[in-house]
Amino acid sequence: MRNKIVAGNWKMNLTFQEAEELLSEIADKLEKIELRDTEVVVCPPFPYLEMALDIAGESVFSVGSQNLSEYEKGAYTGEVSAQMLASMDVDYCILGHSERRKYFGETDEIIARKVDQAIRHEFIPIVCVGELLSEREAGKHFDVVREQLEKGLFFLSEDEFSSVVIAYEPVWAIGTGVNATPAQAQEMHAYIRQLIESRYGKDVADETPILYGGSCNASNAAEIFAQPDVDGGLIGGASLKAEEFVKIVEAAVNKK
Ligand code: 13P
């Protein structure tokens, strides 16, 4: 059976000192719970990765980046390559987040190139898909998510795809306090799993973790994670508070 994953996406928040404190608190709290088949991932900003890796080394959580370059290496000022991150032992990488699509012009084609970099350097990419409110209101949400997957991800071979994690993050739910209902999340997750099955077969579809993201917090995580096709969450705001984040982890651990 596939693993459950709770990943914290810190986005562009916290000072170095705040980040260190938060990670130490998370590590302390995780020590007290048995994670069983749940993985915990923390994705801080780039400059904090090494410090996060140091704390993770004494703890049970893994570390991911929030982005990586579509280019391999060379004269790309300001970029951070997959090779650099791999050489630091970063395991995961969030790709295709709607904020990168919106503010940094990332298209499905760019995301595909980043996914390719991530796979070549043996990362576990957490690839985000999700529709805008206007697209849901127009009844296009399934088509939007299908296109994002087909263009951004389904070029991978079956073998390559087997390390991928998908996060369904409806854009209207991100940072708004309005989460998708458990039924809405389940409906889309089941659809995504069915698309994976048509492309890669049932075994791969059954093993692919599909996370929910968008105003997921300690109060609603258990009922969202209880859905059969929801395998955990990609958490924004609520991942910046140790107690709240670890409660969300517990909700995943307790999922039947
Ligand atoms: P919030 O949990 O703050 O809504 O953010 C979700 C998200 O974008 C995680 O990647």
Side-chain angles (χ1 to χ4, degrees):
M1 199 49 197
R2 55 188 176 262
N3 276 359
K4 294 170 282 184
I5 301 173
V6 174
N9 174 10
W10 289 8
K11 309 191 180 183
M12 197 172 74
N13 289 297
L14 307 183
T15 63
F16 185 86
Q17 288 74 19
E18 288 165 345
E20 199 169 25
E21 208 170 296
L22 175 57
L23 285 166
S24 303
E25 270 182 69
I26 290 172
D28 283 351
K29 289 185 189 300
L30 288 178
E31 218 171 89
K32 300 185 183 82
I33 62 178
E34 201 190 325
L35 289 177
R36 297 198 290 265
D37 53 355
T38 299
E39 290 172 46
V40 180
V41 185
V42 176
C43 304
F46 283 130
Y48 307 161
L49 285 172
E50 188 173 358
M51 177 267 287
L53 285 161
D54 278 349
I55 298 177
E58 308 285 309
S59 181
V60 286
F61 66 87
S62 300
V63 175
S65 69
Q66 297 174 19
N67 186 22
L68 51 73
S69 177
E70 69 195 276
Y71 302 109
E72 179 73 27
K73 66 187 285 191
Y76 300 102
T77 301
E79 287 287 274
V80 177
S81 73
Q83 188 181 39
M84 293 171 183
L85 296 164
S87 71
M88 296 175 73
D89 292 332
V90 173
D91 290 323
Y92 288 79
C93 178
I94 298 171
L95 292 175
H97 193 282
S98 62
E99 288 150 15
R100 299 226 44 99
R101 294 176 191 259
K102 180 177 175 191
Y103 301 120
F104 303 98
E106 286 196 11
T107 59
D108 290 321
E109 290 70 24
I110 293 172
I111 292 159
R113 289 199 286 276
K114 293 187 174 199
V115 167
D116 187 51
Q117 281 293 324
I119 295 291
R120 278 205 259 151
H121 292 279
E122 296 181 3
F123 281 89
I124 301 171
I126 302 176
V127 181
C128 305
V129 295
E131 80 286 356
L132 304 171
L133 182 59
S134 56
E135 292 166 336
R136 178 165 279 265
E137 284 173 347
K140 291 184 183 152
H141 43 300
F142 293 116
D143 291 343
V144 168
V145 168
R146 191 186 63 237
E147 194 171 321
Q148 290 171 340
L149 288 169
E150 283 175 351
K151 291 188 176 163
L153 209 47
F154 284 0
F155 68 93
L156 294 174
S157 68
E158 181 182 328
D159 192 40
E160 290 166 337
F161 188 86
S162 60
S163 64
V164 167
V165 175
I166 293 173
Y168 170 55
E169 299 207 312
V171 179
W172 47 270
I174 296 177
T176 58
V178 181
N179 58 286
T181 64
Q184 285 172 323
Q186 169 56 24
E187 186 183 36
M188 185 59 85
H189 284 225
Y191 176 68
I192 292 170
R193 205 174 300 286
Q194 186 200 314
L195 292 174
I196 301 169
E197 183 174 336
S198 321
R199 171 70 179 84
Y200 295 104
K202 186 164 174 16
D203 289 352
V204 175
D206 282 346
E207 289 302 318
T208 304
I210 307 176
L211 315 183
Y212 170 77
S215 297
C216 187
N217 56 40
S219 317
N220 60 26
E223 57 168 354
I224 297 173
F225 296 172
Q227 302 302 309
D229 285 294
V230 179
D231 307 311
L234 181 56
I235 317 299
S239 72
L240 298 171
K241 294 179 202 124
E243 193 176 336
E244 176 108 5
F245 183 61
V246 174
K247 276 189 186 153
I248 298 170
V249 171
E250 286 178 296
V253 169
N254 293 331
K255 175 187 164 109
K256 298 282 183 296

